[in-house]
Structure formats: C-alpha cells, structure tokens
Amino acid sequence: MNYDQVFDAAIDRLHDEGRYRVFIDILRNKGAYPNARCFAGHNGPKPITVWCSNDYLAMGQHPKVIAAMEEALHDVGAGSGGTRNIGGNTHYHIQLERELADLHGKDGALLFTSGYVSNDATLSTMAKVLPGCVIFSDELNHASMIAGIRNSGAEKKVFRHNDLVHLEQLLAETDPAVPKLIAFESVYSMDGDVAPIHAICDLADKYNALTYIDEVHAVGMYGPRGGGISERDEAAHRITIIEGTLGKAFGVMGGYIAADTRIVDVIRSYAPGFIFTTSLSPVLVAGVLAAVRHLKGSNAEREAQQANASALKTMLAEAGLPVMPSTTHIVPLMVGDPVRAKRISDILLAEYGVYVQPINYPTVPRGTERLRFTPGPAHTAAMMRDLTAALSEIWQRLALEQVRAA
C-alpha cells in the first residue's frame, strides 16, 4: 500500500469540498481584547478584531484571573506533576471542585482536562456501569457526547432536535426495566437555541430515566450566579449530571461534571479519561477559580454581553443579512456553501481586519455552512457597525460576481 497516497487523498477530499481548515496565526492583546494581531503575511503583525472567540465574557483577560494565575505560578510552579491519583491533586483542584459543586447546587464535582474529555469519559463510563443502559441522545449533540456514547457500547436512540414527542415515543417503546439516560445540551452553539429542560425532566421522571446536560455554552453566561440555563430556569436540581467547560465563559481551560457524590465517585474511580491523564496545571485551575468566584457575584459581564449580542443581531437583520434566529448569545449568519463561507472569512481578515472562522461540515450539516459571531462585553458599537458594513459590502460584491458569471 502507498500510505502517502492515502493520506494525500484524504486531505485532497477536504480541499475539493471546500472545507479544509486553516488555522489563523494570531496573538490577543492583553487588556485590550477583542483587539489582537495577526501574523498572516510577511510584513509583521497586522491589527485585527476577534469575532469568533468562545471566551464569551473576556474572562481570559480579566485582571483577577491573570493575577491569580501569576500568584499560583510563583507559589507552586507550572505543572501539576501527574495524574490526580499520583502527585497531581492540589488544593487548587479541591477548591475549584467545591466551587463548581456549589455553583450547580450539587454535592460534588470532578475536573477534567477539557469539556470534550468530560463528556466522553462520563457518558462512556455511566453507560458501562449501568447494565443494559439505553442512551437517548438529541440529534444535535456535540461530537464529544456522541463519542462518549459510542465508546460506551450502549444502545443509542437518537431523538429529533428538541422534539419531546419523538423523545417520549422512543422512551415508551423501550423496556421499562432497563436503565435509561437522556443526554442533551442546554444551548446548542451552532444555532443558538435552547433545550426545554423542564419538559425533558418531566419525561425522565415519567420513564425513570437519568438526565445528563451539557452546559458548556451556558455556564457563566446565564443564571444569577452563572450556573447556566439550568440555573436560570430553576431546573438544576432535576438534572442528574451537569457538565460544563472552563475554557469558554470562564476564560481558561478544562471541563467538569457536577452531580451527587456517589456518581462523582463512580466516574472518578472508573473513567480512564480521568484516571490516566495528567491533571490540569494548578496555574490554570487558579485562574478558573478566580473566574468562577467573580462571575458568581457579578452580572456586569453577562449583561453587557447579552446587550451586545442583541444589538449585533438587530444591525445584521436591518442590513438585510441572513442572520439566523437565536435566543442566546450566539449570532450565526447563514452562508450555505463551504467555499463561499471560507471566501467571506478570508476577505474579512485580509481587507477589514475582522477575524471570524467559517463553520463547515461536520460541525454543521452540509448546506448549512455559516459564520458564527460571538460578540463579547468589550465589543463596541463602532466595531459592530464596521462589521455590519463590511459584511454588507462583501455580500453585494459576491452577488455582483454571481450575476456576471451567469
């Protein structure tokens, strides 16, 4: 076999479909986010504005977070030194798990190295521990949830997105005696819509199912203390396991689950994705700890972010641009073609200093490629006006090109 030929063909397919991913070489400007600098050319760094970061509240730039990380670095050094079982358990980790359990009103919490790992490790372990478990999964669940369900080896039943009738149909036709787990997200990050949490919990109660909610795009963002949609909707007590990330609204890195201590102990004791990996650096944990504590007591960041998201949606809609309906902080702009989405992204960066990455398959279904904007509390009205004007000009330019080509 010609191995190089196989690898080249795999990459060529991505190029042919227009969805080959290109990483942009940038550095954020500390204290001045969303301003950053891009090293795309050979003339030195070019100033840009970042519009696609998941650091939704700019907590990665917050003075409390940076100060906490610097203090930890000089107090204990850089790395954790090992797995949580062997040398990698620090007082920072214990403190953060207590804060996260408190945030969600649970008895316990468990840290992971990423949100992907927390989903994969927890879902695969839960289903293996529960004999004959059947998992009911929303069709738009994140790839990490799908991976965890697949790795569990459990039977999976996929219900149509947020479709309670379909979910109940699947639950009703399943043997009442087998363990059941309903897995879903609170905020679906590509469309910006929200799950009907209480209604799903009602079905879970009716059919004796456990519930697992992915709150990665909602923790820090919603609720009086940043506990997510489940806190905002006063539903956290009804959820068996709440999963979240530390790399989005909290601005640093990592993932976690919050649940009762029995479930946390099972995952801690059985999940290979937790047991056999080096724990998060205490420097990172210290930064997250500062972010969680700050956002528990401050709504200023959330309110500013929501106001800016609403303002940008209005501007784009009034300009006649195809902004998708969204009830959350996500602002998706439909393009519908991977090549066109990449070209718009390239023009924005090269000509307007605007950084937003195209979202293509498999992140979204083919034919629904889009640009996904995430305005934060530090994006100004002038930045939003400039962005809207740039997008309007590019849309008109591409429409003219299409007419001429025809």
Side-chain angles (χ1 to χ4, degrees):
M1 174 177 282
N2 186 328
Y3 294 106
D4 289 344
Q5 189 176 51
V6 173
F7 298 143
D8 288 341
I11 296 300
D12 288 343
R13 283 196 299 273
L14 298 179
H15 283 291
D16 292 342
E17 295 173 17
R19 60 186 185 94
Y20 179 76
R21 298 171 189 260
V22 177
F23 296 159
I24 306 301
D25 185 359
I26 69 170
L27 288 173
R28 297 195 291 176
N29 300 330
K30 183 176 80 71
Y33 183 77
N35 294 316
R37 52 204 190 273
C38 176
F39 295 83
H42 301 288
N43 299 318
K46 169 187 175 181
I48 60 171
T49 303
V50 178
W51 279 101
C52 57
S53 174
N54 285 338
D55 186 1
Y56 294 130
L57 302 179
M59 289 305 296
Q61 302 287 310
H62 198 284
K64 288 183 181 178
V65 173
I66 293 171
M69 295 178 75
E70 289 177 340
E71 181 181 350
L73 177 65
H74 293 290
D75 182 28
V76 301
S80 71
T83 67
R84 290 288 293 278
N85 297 304
I86 306 173
N89 187 53
T90 74
H91 189 56
Y92 289 107
H93 293 78
I94 293 168
Q95 283 184 301
L96 180 54
E97 286 173 343
R98 288 173 180 165
E99 290 285 352
L100 292 168
D102 170 76
L103 177 66
H104 295 293
K106 300 298 184 184
D107 296 329
L110 190 66
L111 292 176
F112 294 85
T113 49
S114 74
Y116 189 106
V117 174
S118 55
N119 271 334
D120 186 0
T122 304
L123 284 167
S124 62
T125 302
M126 282 290 291
K128 287 176 181 176
V129 169
L130 295 167
C133 181
V134 177
I135 300 181
F136 301 81
S137 175
D138 188 289
E139 67 177 342
L140 294 189
N141 277 344
H142 189 263
S144 58
M145 300 175 75
I146 296 169
I149 295 167
R150 183 185 299 117
N151 291 338
S152 74
E155 180 181 356
K156 176 181 70 173
K157 296 190 177 186
V158 178
F159 60 94
R160 291 185 292 271
H161 178 53
N162 281 348
D163 189 330
L164 298 170
V165 173
H166 190 214
L167 173 57
E168 180 161 23
Q169 176 188 332
L170 295 175
L171 286 163
E173 69 186 28
T174 303
D175 182 352
V178 303
K180 303 173 188 67
L181 176 65
I182 304 172
F184 62 104
E185 299 184 36
S186 61
V187 173
Y188 289 85
S189 63
M190 292 302 121
D191 292 341
D193 59 342
V194 174
I197 299 177
H198 277 293
I200 291 174
C201 289
D202 289 342
L203 290 177
D205 291 344
K206 182 177 178 179
Y207 292 94
N208 192 29
L210 303 178
T211 49
Y212 182 102
I213 190 170
D214 176 315
E215 286 258 43
V216 297
H217 291 277
V219 290
M221 303 293 294
Y222 299 92
R225 301 193 307 157
I229 298 292
S230 59
E231 183 193 26
R232 185 198 72 179
D233 293 356
E234 299 182 345
H237 65 286
R238 304 188 67 188
I239 303 292
T240 310
I241 301 174
I242 297 174
E243 184 268 346
T245 183
L246 309 172
K248 293 183 171 61
F250 294 130
V252 189
M253 180 183 177
Y256 67 93
I257 59 166
D260 72 39
T261 52
R262 183 184 297 105
I263 289 175
V264 168
D265 199 20
V266 166
I267 303 304
R268 181 187 72 85
S269 302
Y270 282 92
F274 173 82
I275 297 170
F276 297 106
T277 190
T278 299
S279 67
L280 284 169
S281 162
V283 176
L284 299 174
V285 179
V288 177
L289 190 58
V292 171
R293 286 172 171 168
H294 175 79
L295 290 174
K296 279 184 176 180
S298 173
N299 279 312
E301 292 82 6
R302 285 188 280 274
E303 291 171 356
Q305 196 283 328
Q306 289 289 336
N308 283 346
S310 178
L312 181 59
K313 291 174 194 176
T314 300
M315 287 184 191
L316 296 176
E318 289 178 348
L321 292 161
V323 60
M324 299 168 63
S326 164
T327 60
T328 63
H329 58 284
I330 307 295
V331 185
L333 197 63
M334 179 57 68
V335 179
D337 176 80
V339 175
R340 185 182 177 93
K342 178 66 167 61
R343 185 159 179 228
I344 295 169
S345 172
D346 289 345
I347 294 171
L348 283 169
L349 184 64
E351 299 183 20
Y352 291 96
V354 166
Y355 174 44
V356 59
Q357 283 282 44
I359 307 295
N360 296 327
Y361 177 84
T363 307
V364 295
R366 286 186 172 91
T368 68
E369 292 81 6
R370 66 201 65 178
L371 302 176
R372 176 181 173 274
F373 297 92
T374 55
H379 285 92
T380 65
M383 289 175 180
M384 288 188 273
R385 287 193 296 269
D386 290 344
L387 172 64
T388 303
L391 288 166
S392 296
E393 186 280 321
I394 295 169
W395 243 259
Q396 291 170 5
R397 186 195 312 185
L398 297 184
L400 274 174
E401 288 180 0
Q402 195 170 17
V403 169
R404 287 170 183 157

